[in-house]
């Protein structure tokens, strides 16, 4: 736990550089406490006017008010008289104590980073052959076709894209073309077609009309084109050979 030190205004200077300080009393508190409150500058003019009105109590806080310790936190619990200052302590003291404990707690340990995963794993059922002649995956554009997956039948498929770049990319106006030159173009007026940097975007058959793009499960090809219709990736598969 934390050690709590009770100090008077007379010996406050030796504790002025403590990381956490709680002051009980307002700008007019007796025995030198009011001088410390005013010197901190935490209470602005309207705060002082408020706390001086009969029946008022409040809590205030500031960071490094004397410029002696970066990150220092100071709380003031005050009332318009001694009894209301006591009420302020009873009302706000518990919350202040919780804040102090939270600030004093050591930072949580972050879990270790997961091991990197192959961004385009070979699908055993539908192995893909990239046929645009790139020497490596890194030589391709930022977005490329990662997987083509079938569940049951040619009407139940998925196309997975991968963004190997360092920035998010909006896929609007990108085009996927399949066998028979049937194609699907991402809607230019939808702002949600975002593929995160290092992330995937999966296009499901149910999302588009099968009259525009149809994939035979056994043998076929797909091309991916950018908004200017430049082909940036082409994959082929043949499960019959």
């Amino acid at each position: 736990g934390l050690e709590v030190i009770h100090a008077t205004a007379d010996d406050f200077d030796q504790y002025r550089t403590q990381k956490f300080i709680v002051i009980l009393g307002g700008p007019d508190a007796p025995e030198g406490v009011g001088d410390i409150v005013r010197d901190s500058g935490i209470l602005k003019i309207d705060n002082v006017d408020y706390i001086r009105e009969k029946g008022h109590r409040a809590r205030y806080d500031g960071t490094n008010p004397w410029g002696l310790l970066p990150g220092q936190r100071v709380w003031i619990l005050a009332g318009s008289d001694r009894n209301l200052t006591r009420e302020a302590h009873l009302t706000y003291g518990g919350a202040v104590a919780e804040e102090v404990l939270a600030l004093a707690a050591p930072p949580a340990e972050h879990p270790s980073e997961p091991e990197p995963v192959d961004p385009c794993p070979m699908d055993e059922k539908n192995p893909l052959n990239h046929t645009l002649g790139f020497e490596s995956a890194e030589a391709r554009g930022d977005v490329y076709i990662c997987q083509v997956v079938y569940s049951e039948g040619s009407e139940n498929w998925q196309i997975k894209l991968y963004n190997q770049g360092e920035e998010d990319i909006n896929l609007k106006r990108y085009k996927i073309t399949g066998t028979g030159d049937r194609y699907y173009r991402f809607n230019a007026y939808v702002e949600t077609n975002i593929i995160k940097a290092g992330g995937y975007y999966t296009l499901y058959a149910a999302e588009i009309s099968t009259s525009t793009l149809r994939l035979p499960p056994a043998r076929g090809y797909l091309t991916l084109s950018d908004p200017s219709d430049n082909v940036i990736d082409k994959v082929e598969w043949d499960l019959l050979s």
Side-chain angles (χ1 to χ4, degrees):
L2 296 177
E3 180 185 7
V4 178
I5 301 173
H6 297 274
T8 65
D10 291 336
D11 53 11
F12 177 72
D13 281 345
Q14 63 181 303
Y15 301 111
R16 193 184 291 266
T17 56
Q18 292 294 311
K19 189 172 183 179
F20 307 114
I21 296 175
V22 180
I23 302 173
L24 300 181
D28 302 321
E31 301 173 357
V33 174
D35 295 334
I36 296 173
V37 170
R38 293 192 300 273
D39 182 57
S40 73
I42 293 176
L43 271 62
K44 308 308 178 187
I45 294 177
D46 55 340
N47 302 140
V48 172
D49 291 341
Y50 175 84
I51 209 66
R52 281 175 172 167
E53 290 186 20
K54 186 176 180 180
H56 285 182
R57 55 181 168 79
R59 59 157 281 182
Y60 305 95
D61 62 86
T63 301
N64 192 19
W66 297 287
L68 301 175
L69 181 66
Q72 181 190 54
R73 290 291 300 275
V74 177
W75 291 264
I76 297 174
L77 309 182
S80 58
D81 57 38
R82 188 182 295 269
N83 289 330
L84 285 169
T85 294
R86 185 181 298 110
E87 286 190 19
H89 181 211
L90 294 174
T91 302
Y92 309 115
V96 170
E98 291 181 1
E99 291 178 35
V100 170
L101 290 174
L103 291 169
E109 293 185 5
H110 295 287
S112 58
E113 293 292 331
E115 294 184 4
V117 178
D118 183 353
C120 200
M122 181 65 72
D123 185 272
E124 294 181 0
K125 187 174 181 181
N126 293 286
L128 299 179
N129 179 28
H130 293 264
T131 57
L132 276 188
F134 296 115
E135 295 180 359
S136 65
E138 291 74 15
R140 289 194 289 261
D142 286 342
V143 179
Y144 61 88
I145 300 168
C146 180
Q147 284 182 302
V148 178
V149 180
Y150 295 93
S151 295
E152 295 179 3
S154 61
E155 306 301 330
N156 195 7
W157 46 261
Q158 303 171 21
I159 300 171
K160 183 179 290 186
L161 306 180
Y162 177 70
N163 179 6
Q164 67 176 354
E166 297 180 354
E167 297 182 358
D168 298 351
I169 293 178
N170 193 325
L171 293 172
K172 64 181 181 180
R173 302 299 299 168
Y174 276 69
K175 183 172 73 173
I176 297 177
T177 304
T179 305
D181 291 332
R182 297 177 182 271
Y183 67 88
Y184 170 77
R185 190 182 293 276
F186 287 88
N187 196 325
Y189 303 102
V190 176
E191 296 296 331
T192 56
N193 296 326
I194 303 296
I195 180 169
K196 297 288 187 180
Y200 298 94
Y201 186 101
T202 303
L203 181 66
Y204 298 91
E207 296 180 28
I208 66 174
S209 169
T210 55
S211 64
T212 57
L213 182 61
R214 185 183 299 270
L215 276 73
R219 176 186 292 150
Y221 74 87
L222 284 175
T223 63
L224 176 66
S225 303
D226 64 18
S228 299
D229 282 342
N230 299 308
V231 176
I232 57 177
D233 192 23
K234 181 178 181 179
V235 296
E236 298 179 0
W237 64 94
D238 187 349
L239 302 182
L240 300 179
S241 59

